[in-house]
Short mmCIF file of all heavy atoms in Angstrom, two decimals:
data_model
loop_
_atom_site.label_atom_id
_atom_site.label_comp_id
_atom_site.label_asym_id
_atom_site.label_seq_id
_atom_site.Cartn_x
_atom_site.Cartn_y
_atom_site.Cartn_z
N ALA A 979 -16.76 -2.84 3.27
CA ALA A 979 -17.75 -3.91 3.14
C ALA A 979 -18.68 -3.97 4.34
O ALA A 979 -19.88 -4.23 4.20
CB ALA A 979 -17.04 -5.25 2.94
N SER A 980 -18.16 -3.73 5.53
CA SER A 980 -19.00 -3.74 6.73
C SER A 980 -20.05 -2.65 6.66
O SER A 980 -21.24 -2.88 6.95
CB SER A 980 -18.13 -3.55 7.97
OG SER A 980 -17.29 -4.65 8.18
N LEU A 981 -19.64 -1.44 6.27
CA LEU A 981 -20.59 -0.34 6.20
C LEU A 981 -21.62 -0.55 5.10
O LEU A 981 -22.80 -0.23 5.27
CB LEU A 981 -19.83 0.97 5.98
CG LEU A 981 -18.91 1.39 7.15
CD1 LEU A 981 -18.12 2.64 6.77
CD2 LEU A 981 -19.71 1.62 8.42
N LEU A 982 -21.20 -1.10 3.97
CA LEU A 982 -22.15 -1.38 2.89
C LEU A 982 -23.18 -2.42 3.33
O LEU A 982 -24.39 -2.27 3.07
CB LEU A 982 -21.41 -1.86 1.64
CG LEU A 982 -20.66 -0.81 0.83
CD1 LEU A 982 -19.86 -1.48 -0.28
CD2 LEU A 982 -21.63 0.20 0.23
N ALA A 983 -22.72 -3.48 3.97
CA ALA A 983 -23.64 -4.53 4.42
C ALA A 983 -24.63 -3.99 5.45
O ALA A 983 -25.82 -4.30 5.41
CB ALA A 983 -22.85 -5.70 4.98
N ASP A 984 -24.14 -3.15 6.35
CA ASP A 984 -25.03 -2.57 7.36
C ASP A 984 -26.09 -1.67 6.73
O ASP A 984 -27.21 -1.56 7.25
CB ASP A 984 -24.21 -1.76 8.37
CG ASP A 984 -23.39 -2.64 9.30
OD1 ASP A 984 -23.66 -3.87 9.33
OD2 ASP A 984 -22.49 -2.12 9.96
N ALA A 985 -25.74 -1.03 5.62
CA ALA A 985 -26.68 -0.14 4.93
C ALA A 985 -27.52 -0.88 3.90
O ALA A 985 -28.31 -0.26 3.17
CB ALA A 985 -25.92 1.00 4.25
N ASP A 986 -27.35 -2.21 3.84
CA ASP A 986 -28.08 -3.05 2.89
C ASP A 986 -27.81 -2.65 1.44
O ASP A 986 -28.69 -2.73 0.59
CB ASP A 986 -29.58 -3.03 3.17
CG ASP A 986 -30.29 -4.25 2.56
OD1 ASP A 986 -29.62 -5.30 2.43
OD2 ASP A 986 -31.46 -4.14 2.19
N ARG A 987 -26.59 -2.21 1.18
CA ARG A 987 -26.15 -1.96 -0.19
C ARG A 987 -25.33 -3.16 -0.61
O ARG A 987 -24.34 -3.51 0.04
CB ARG A 987 -25.34 -0.67 -0.29
CG ARG A 987 -26.15 0.57 0.10
CD ARG A 987 -25.33 1.84 -0.06
NE ARG A 987 -24.95 2.08 -1.44
CZ ARG A 987 -24.17 3.10 -1.83
NH1 ARG A 987 -23.67 3.93 -0.94
NH2 ARG A 987 -23.88 3.25 -3.11
N ARG A 988 -25.72 -3.82 -1.70
CA ARG A 988 -25.20 -5.15 -1.97
C ARG A 988 -24.19 -5.22 -3.10
O ARG A 988 -23.73 -6.31 -3.44
CB ARG A 988 -26.36 -6.10 -2.32
CG ARG A 988 -27.55 -6.07 -1.39
CD ARG A 988 -27.17 -6.14 0.09
NE ARG A 988 -26.41 -7.34 0.45
CZ ARG A 988 -25.95 -7.57 1.67
NH1 ARG A 988 -26.16 -6.71 2.63
NH2 ARG A 988 -25.27 -8.66 1.93
N ALA A 989 -23.80 -4.07 -3.70
CA ALA A 989 -22.89 -4.13 -4.83
C ALA A 989 -21.86 -3.01 -4.73
O ALA A 989 -22.14 -1.91 -4.25
CB ALA A 989 -23.64 -4.02 -6.15
N VAL A 990 -20.65 -3.30 -5.21
CA VAL A 990 -19.55 -2.34 -5.17
C VAL A 990 -18.59 -2.65 -6.32
O VAL A 990 -18.42 -3.80 -6.71
CB VAL A 990 -18.83 -2.39 -3.81
CG1 VAL A 990 -18.28 -3.79 -3.52
CG2 VAL A 990 -17.73 -1.35 -3.71
N VAL A 991 -17.97 -1.61 -6.85
CA VAL A 991 -17.00 -1.77 -7.93
C VAL A 991 -15.77 -0.96 -7.60
O VAL A 991 -15.86 0.10 -6.97
CB VAL A 991 -17.60 -1.34 -9.30
CG1 VAL A 991 -18.05 0.12 -9.27
CG2 VAL A 991 -16.60 -1.58 -10.44
N CYS A 992 -14.61 -1.46 -8.01
CA CYS A 992 -13.38 -0.70 -7.82
C CYS A 992 -12.45 -0.95 -9.00
O CYS A 992 -12.60 -1.93 -9.73
CB CYS A 992 -12.67 -1.09 -6.52
SG CYS A 992 -11.83 -2.71 -6.57
N ALA A 993 -11.51 -0.05 -9.18
CA ALA A 993 -10.38 -0.28 -10.08
C ALA A 993 -9.21 -0.72 -9.22
O ALA A 993 -9.04 -0.26 -8.10
CB ALA A 993 -10.04 0.99 -10.84
N SER A 994 -8.41 -1.62 -9.75
CA SER A 994 -7.32 -2.15 -8.94
C SER A 994 -6.18 -2.64 -9.81
O SER A 994 -6.39 -3.20 -10.88
CB SER A 994 -7.83 -3.31 -8.08
OG SER A 994 -6.77 -3.92 -7.35
N ALA A 995 -4.95 -2.42 -9.30
CA ALA A 995 -3.79 -3.06 -9.90
C ALA A 995 -3.66 -4.49 -9.43
O ALA A 995 -2.81 -5.23 -9.92
CB ALA A 995 -2.53 -2.27 -9.55
N GLY A 996 -4.50 -4.88 -8.47
CA GLY A 996 -4.52 -6.26 -8.01
C GLY A 996 -4.79 -6.43 -6.54
O GLY A 996 -5.65 -7.21 -6.13
N ASN A 997 -4.08 -5.71 -5.68
CA ASN A 997 -4.22 -5.94 -4.24
C ASN A 997 -5.55 -5.45 -3.69
O ASN A 997 -6.19 -6.14 -2.89
CB ASN A 997 -3.06 -5.27 -3.50
CG ASN A 997 -1.77 -6.04 -3.65
OD1 ASN A 997 -1.76 -7.16 -4.14
ND2 ASN A 997 -0.66 -5.43 -3.25
N LEU A 998 -5.98 -4.26 -4.08
CA LEU A 998 -7.27 -3.77 -3.60
C LEU A 998 -8.40 -4.68 -4.08
O LEU A 998 -9.33 -4.99 -3.33
CB LEU A 998 -7.52 -2.35 -4.09
CG LEU A 998 -8.86 -1.75 -3.67
CD1 LEU A 998 -8.86 -1.44 -2.18
CD2 LEU A 998 -9.18 -0.48 -4.47
N GLY A 999 -8.32 -5.13 -5.33
CA GLY A 999 -9.35 -6.00 -5.87
C GLY A 999 -9.46 -7.31 -5.11
O GLY A 999 -10.56 -7.79 -4.82
N GLN A 1000 -8.32 -7.90 -4.77
CA GLN A 1000 -8.34 -9.13 -3.99
C GLN A 1000 -8.97 -8.88 -2.62
O GLN A 1000 -9.79 -9.67 -2.15
CB GLN A 1000 -6.92 -9.64 -3.78
CG GLN A 1000 -6.26 -10.19 -5.03
CD GLN A 1000 -4.86 -10.67 -4.71
OE1 GLN A 1000 -4.68 -11.69 -4.07
NE2 GLN A 1000 -3.86 -9.93 -5.17
N ALA A 1001 -8.56 -7.80 -2.00
CA ALA A 1001 -9.06 -7.51 -0.66
C ALA A 1001 -10.56 -7.24 -0.67
O ALA A 1001 -11.30 -7.74 0.19
CB ALA A 1001 -8.32 -6.30 -0.08
N LEU A 1002 -11.03 -6.46 -1.66
CA LEU A 1002 -12.46 -6.19 -1.74
C LEU A 1002 -13.24 -7.45 -2.05
O LEU A 1002 -14.34 -7.67 -1.50
CB LEU A 1002 -12.73 -5.11 -2.79
CG LEU A 1002 -14.17 -4.61 -2.88
CD1 LEU A 1002 -14.63 -4.02 -1.55
CD2 LEU A 1002 -14.32 -3.59 -4.00
N ALA A 1003 -12.70 -8.30 -2.90
CA ALA A 1003 -13.36 -9.57 -3.20
C ALA A 1003 -13.49 -10.42 -1.94
O ALA A 1003 -14.55 -11.01 -1.67
CB ALA A 1003 -12.58 -10.33 -4.28
N TRP A 1004 -12.44 -10.48 -1.12
CA TRP A 1004 -12.48 -11.27 0.11
C TRP A 1004 -13.48 -10.69 1.09
O TRP A 1004 -14.32 -11.40 1.65
CB TRP A 1004 -11.08 -11.32 0.73
CG TRP A 1004 -10.94 -12.32 1.84
CD1 TRP A 1004 -10.52 -13.62 1.72
CD2 TRP A 1004 -11.22 -12.12 3.23
NE1 TRP A 1004 -10.52 -14.23 2.96
CE2 TRP A 1004 -10.95 -13.33 3.90
CE3 TRP A 1004 -11.68 -11.02 3.97
CZ2 TRP A 1004 -11.11 -13.49 5.27
CZ3 TRP A 1004 -11.85 -11.17 5.35
CH2 TRP A 1004 -11.58 -12.38 5.99
#
Side-chain angles (χ1 to χ4, degrees):
S980 293
L981 295 175
L982 284 174
D984 288 346
D986 201 29
R987 298 182 63 184
R988 312 312 302 178
V990 59
V991 59
C992 74
S994 175
N997 285 349
L998 179 71
Q1000 290 180 72
L1002 186 59
W1004 192 92

